[in-house]
Amino acid sequence: MSKSGSALGVLGSLALAVALAGCAAAIARNPVPVSLEGQAQVAGMGTETIRFWGDELPPNSEAIVKEKWAQTRANRPELLARGRRPVMTSLALSGGGSDGAFGAGVLGGWTASGKRPEFDVVTGVSTGALTAPFAFLGPKYDGVLKEVFTQSDTKDVAIMRPVRGLLGGDALASNAPLAKVIDRYIDEAFLEEVAAEHRKGRRLLIGTTNLDAERPVIWDMGAIATSGSPEALDLFRTVLLASAAIPAVFPPGFIKVSAGGTTYEEMHVDGGATREVFLVPTQFMASKVDGSLGIRPIRRTYIIRNGHVAPEYKVVKARTLSIAGRAVSSLIKSQGVGDLYQLYVFCKRNGIDYNLAYIPADFHDTSTQAFDPVYMSRLYERGYQMAASGYPWKKQPPQMGAN
């Protein structure tokens, strides 16, 4: 749940201390050998295509797209009525820790404006991954998002265990409280709701980082939900928790996979380690797909950046962790802005209407803890009011011409 604000920046910097504990015993695991990296299949999920690398088109990308449009034709024929171009709307939710309250507020205000569309594709990373399933299922879950992002505090998310982490553990804090929050809302009934929407041709995609491979992974959560596997619910929850796992601060998500007849464990962490926000692999070319399927959809993408994009002045104490924390938070912010530019280039190349929202520069971080309900309530309300009054979405990334 990466955040460029000071609270999580300090937590993130603590990860640097792990490097000083190199003499501590590592937790035993059986990682995938590099020679089998491309063959690993999630255990218990059969051959179902439930994930792919986020930095390249999957080899079966054409089949994936054809299946989506076949489902759309069968279940949403109004989108493909003769004589009209279908409008396909996507929503991309970034990381940002407690700043996820902004995105939750924007969604609630968007509903209140009466102009919120049904999203064809919803993607999420980190705190955006926790928001995405509820955004995907629509306005009836706005109340859940408001509750989670205005009434939670740090103890509802993490339990600090720095000594255990430095003496051979896999993290400086436990995210067991966050896992309980996920389990509370994501149950079998919720999974079936996601499955029903997936069968209509809609897609819910969540990003994690395969830390061994240093590569982004995109999970098709609807494919998990429709798989029929008894492991589906646990995997769905694990992916969400892993996407929000700040490396070294929170435990990674260990996912059992099989390759070459042997079972291994992959290590997945915060999707923001490789992508702060994403849509699909940037190699995707809409014109090629449209031509092969004989369609010409109007595509619109809405991006909610759960954070600031402009530099924020703050005096840094001349102490190791303060310096490291500020450097880490600056790096996260710069990467996030860079991802907004990458998405802009992608949208321009594919003729996609680009729309961006982010926390205004005049809204300052006043949080007194990593997850401060007072701060998050104020931020939620700001996002809500912006959207409810008809937010003028930015058509370009920050600092690129007039916004």
Side-chain angles (χ1 to χ4, degrees):
M1 299 178 71
S2 53
K3 177 184 176 182
S4 56
S6 59
L8 284 188
V10 171
L11 280 178
S13 71
L14 290 177
L16 299 176
V18 177
L20 303 178
C23 59
I27 294 176
R29 57 183 289 253
N30 188 25
V32 179
V34 64
S35 60
L36 298 176
E37 177 188 13
Q39 302 176 31
Q41 297 280 342
V42 179
M45 300 303 294
T47 59
E48 183 79 21
T49 302
I50 60 169
R51 65 177 190 169
F52 46 89
W53 295 114
D55 54 8
E56 68 178 28
L57 277 180
N60 61 335
S61 60
E62 186 173 342
I64 291 174
V65 174
K66 285 183 177 180
E67 179 190 34
K68 171 182 167 52
W69 280 104
Q71 291 173 326
T72 301
R73 285 192 176 94
N75 297 283
R76 293 184 290 164
E78 70 280 2
L79 290 178
L80 297 167
R82 185 180 298 275
R84 58 181 292 190
R85 296 177 63 187
V87 178
M88 314 306 291
T89 306
S90 301
L91 173 68
L93 298 159
S94 84
S98 63
D99 281 346
F102 174 72
V106 169
L107 288 167
W110 206 349
T111 298
S113 75
K115 298 179 180 179
R116 176 175 165 179
E118 179 181 73
F119 304 111
D120 187 62
V121 177
V122 176
T123 74
V125 169
S126 199
T127 196
L130 302 180
T131 304
F134 303 103
F136 180 72
L137 293 181
K140 67 179 179 178
Y141 282 102
D142 286 354
V144 171
L145 289 176
K146 182 177 182 180
E147 177 183 348
V148 170
F149 281 103
T150 63
Q151 299 181 26
S152 302
D153 60 19
T154 305
K155 72 176 184 301
D156 297 316
V157 176
I159 301 172
M160 292 303 299
R161 294 174 177 172
V163 175
R164 179 182 299 183
L166 289 172
L167 296 180
D170 58 7
L172 299 173
S174 166
N175 56 2
L178 178 58
K180 289 183 179 179
V181 174
I182 292 173
D183 291 354
R184 175 185 172 189
Y185 293 107
I186 309 297
D187 55 16
E188 290 287 358
F190 189 95
L191 206 67
E192 182 49 43
E193 287 189 64
V194 172
E197 295 305 312
H198 179 86
R199 296 187 189 103
K200 295 177 184 177
R202 300 178 65 221
R203 295 295 182 261
L204 171 61
L205 308 175
I206 299 298
T208 65
T209 296
N210 181 321
L211 203 55
D212 291 319
E214 290 189 324
R215 296 179 69 183
V217 177
I218 297 176
W219 297 82
D220 186 337
M221 305 300 278
I224 295 175
T226 58
S227 67
S229 168
E231 310 294 331
L233 180 59
D234 283 343
L235 179 61
F236 196 102
R237 291 168 169 173
T238 297
V239 170
L240 293 181
L241 193 62
S243 184
I246 305 168
V249 176
F250 290 140
F254 292 105
I255 295 176
K256 289 185 178 180
V257 298
S258 58
T262 302
T263 299
Y264 301 98
E265 277 187 333
E266 290 181 345
M267 180 185 289
H268 288 257
V269 299
D270 195 324
T274 45
R275 297 284 190 278
E276 275 291 309
V277 65
F278 76 96
L279 193 56
V280 293
T282 55
Q283 294 88 349
F284 176 80
M285 291 298 295
S287 59
K288 181 178 180 181
V289 172
D290 295 348
S292 65
L293 295 176
I295 55 174
R296 285 193 314 118
I298 298 169
R299 291 186 171 90
R300 298 190 181 115
T301 291
Y302 293 89
I303 305 159
I304 298 179
R305 162 66 178 161
N306 290 306
H308 290 85
V309 296
E312 300 168 89
Y313 186 83
K314 179 181 178 182
V315 175
V316 180
K317 294 180 180 179
R319 296 177 181 174
T320 301
L321 291 183
S322 296
I323 295 169
R326 184 65 167 172
V328 169
S329 66
S330 299
L331 178 62
I332 291 171
K333 178 183 288 185
S334 296
Q335 176 184 316
V337 172
D339 289 338
L340 296 180
Y341 273 82
Q342 186 177 59
L343 267 182
Y344 179 75
V345 172
F346 170 80
C347 287
K348 282 295 182 183
R349 191 173 69 240
N350 285 281
I352 302 172
D353 181 35
Y354 179 96
N355 301 272
L356 171 65
Y358 47 79
I359 298 176
D362 64 356
F363 190 93
H364 303 294
D365 188 348
T366 59
S367 56
T368 59
Q369 56 177 306
F371 290 85
D372 182 341
V374 175
Y375 166 74
M376 291 191 294
S377 294
R378 289 180 52 242
L379 183 55
Y380 175 94
E381 186 62 25
R382 183 63 178 271
Y384 184 97
Q385 293 301 330
M386 285 170 56
S389 61
Y391 180 69
W393 293 81
K394 312 298 184 184
K395 293 297 184 178
Q396 296 177 319
Q399 303 170 16
M400 181 178 178
N403 277 298

